[in-house]
């Protein structure tokens, strides 16, 4: 596939995803501006991320530190003028915190006090090294299935973790993220998530983001209040294959 063909394919896919989001917003009686789109570029090359930014898509997401750091660097070289906003949405080990704060503007997968502490320590070190300033935006990843292998904080413990993060001055709590459980209708799971997020906002009004919905389930997520959909396959194609 030539660059132009790839660009056209991604442009068509982006139009189709935009149309789905717009329709879901209308159906939910919500404004399109309430929902941001993150393009999940994991497993796809930096050239695809660069093409997405050419098409106006500046919210990009990755799930592995080892892949994302070099890719963000490559995109910087390919498109020196643009500043995409990079989001970490995958499971994160504490020993990767120092590396993640070198490329991520936002970490959506914070699911423990220990990880929050590691990110805060990494941010302080990055400040001292002159690598970045300000705060790191974070979302708490909530578990909708209580499956420890998939990560996430159980819904009853969201409040404790939010209280802890609020005490770390280099992190800025922005909201909650979740992935729908496997093999279950996503709508009731997103409804549970929306309830827990709304409870959390009573003490943490700043936690206003609800990151939910992927290629297969963005409509029920938007119906249940998602403010951020994370879409990979529907934009870039099946992972491991070259085209959408
Ligand atoms: C891969 C991934 C996505 C995107 O999934 P698609 O089904 O390809 O849209 C969204 N969120 C997370 C956390 C992911 O790891």
């Amino acid at each position: 596939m030539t660059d132009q063909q790839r660009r056209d394919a991604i442009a068509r896919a982006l139009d189709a995803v935009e149309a789905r989001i717009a329709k879901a917003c209308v159906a939910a009686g919500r404004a399109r501006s309430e929902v941001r789109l993150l393009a999940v570029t994991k497993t796809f090359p930096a050239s695809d991320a660069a093409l997405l930014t050419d098409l106006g898509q500046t919210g990009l997401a990755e799930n592995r530190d080892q892949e994302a750091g070099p890719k963000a660097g490559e995109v910087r070289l390919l498109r020196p003028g643009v500043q995409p906003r990079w989001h970490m949405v995958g499971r994160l080990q504490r020993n990767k915190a120092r590396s993640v704060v070198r490329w991520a503007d936002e970490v959506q997968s914070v699911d423990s006090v220990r990880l929050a502490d590691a990110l805060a320590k990494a941010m302080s070190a990055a400040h001292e090294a002159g690598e970045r300033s300000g705060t790191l935006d974070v979302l708490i990843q909530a578990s909708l299935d209580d499956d420890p292998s998939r990560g996430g904080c159980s819904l009853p413990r969201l409040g404790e973790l939010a209280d802890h993060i609020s005490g770390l001055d280099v992190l800025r709590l922005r909201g909650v993220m979740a992935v729908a459980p496997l093999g279950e209708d996503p709508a009731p799971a997103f409804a549970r998530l929306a309830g827990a997020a709304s409870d959390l906002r009573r003490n943490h009004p700043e936690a206003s983001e609800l990151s939910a919905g992927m290629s297969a389930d963005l409509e029920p997520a938007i119906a249940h209040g998602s403010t951020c959909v994370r879409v990979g396959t529907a934009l870039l194609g099946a992972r491991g294959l070259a085209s959408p």
Side-chain angles (χ1 to χ4, degrees), residues 37-44 49 52 57-64 67-68 71 84-90 103 106 108 211 228-232 236:
L37 168 64
L38 298 188
V40 182
T41 48
K42 67 185 183 200
T43 78
F44 288 94
L52 281 161
Q57 175 62 42
T58 53
L60 304 176
E62 287 282 330
N63 74 333
R64 286 176 61 241
E67 178 184 346
K71 195 182 293 182
R85 195 178 148 79
W86 289 97
H87 301 71
M88 173 60 172
V89 299
W103 61 268
E106 179 172 310
Q108 296 204 339
S211 174
C228 176
V229 293
R230 311 175 307 266
V231 178
L236 296 174

Side-chain angles (χ1 to χ4, degrees), residues 65-211:
D65 171 67
Q66 306 90 293
E67 178 184 346
K71 195 182 293 182
E74 273 184 74
V75 173
R76 232 179 354 260
L77 293 176
L78 289 168
R79 298 291 186 277
V82 293
Q83 281 198 323
R85 195 178 148 79
W86 289 97
H87 301 71
M88 173 60 172
V89 299
R91 289 208 77 183
L92 177 56
Q93 283 173 350
R94 280 175 295 146
N95 61 7
K96 296 286 164 51
R98 189 69 182 90
S99 174
V100 161
V101 302
R102 292 203 175 91
W103 61 268
D105 298 289
E106 179 172 310
V107 176
Q108 296 204 339
S109 44
V110 178
D111 62 358
S112 71
V113 162
R114 295 193 323 158
L115 178 56
D117 285 344
L119 286 167
K121 198 172 152 211
M123 275 299 288
S124 300
H127 281 176
E128 274 171 34
E131 289 167 359
R132 63 184 292 166
S133 58
T135 54
L136 176 70
D137 283 347
V138 299
L139 272 61
I140 295 176
Q141 183 177 350
S143 168
L144 294 176
D145 52 13
D146 292 320
D147 175 350
S149 71
R150 301 185 80 211
C153 171
S154 69
L155 299 186
R157 309 197 66 166
L158 291 181
E160 276 172 49
L161 182 50
D163 290 346
H164 185 82
I165 292 172
S166 297
L168 299 169
D169 57 6
V170 285
L171 303 189
R172 188 162 74 124
L173 178 65
R174 299 301 319 281
V176 177
M177 181 271 260
V179 179
L182 291 169
E184 190 190 315
D185 179 359
F190 288 144
R192 288 202 301 282
L193 175 68
S198 140
D199 290 345
L200 185 71
R201 280 194 297 271
R202 263 189 260 126
N203 285 330
H204 293 279
E206 72 280 15
S208 55
E209 290 277 355
L210 186 57
S211 174

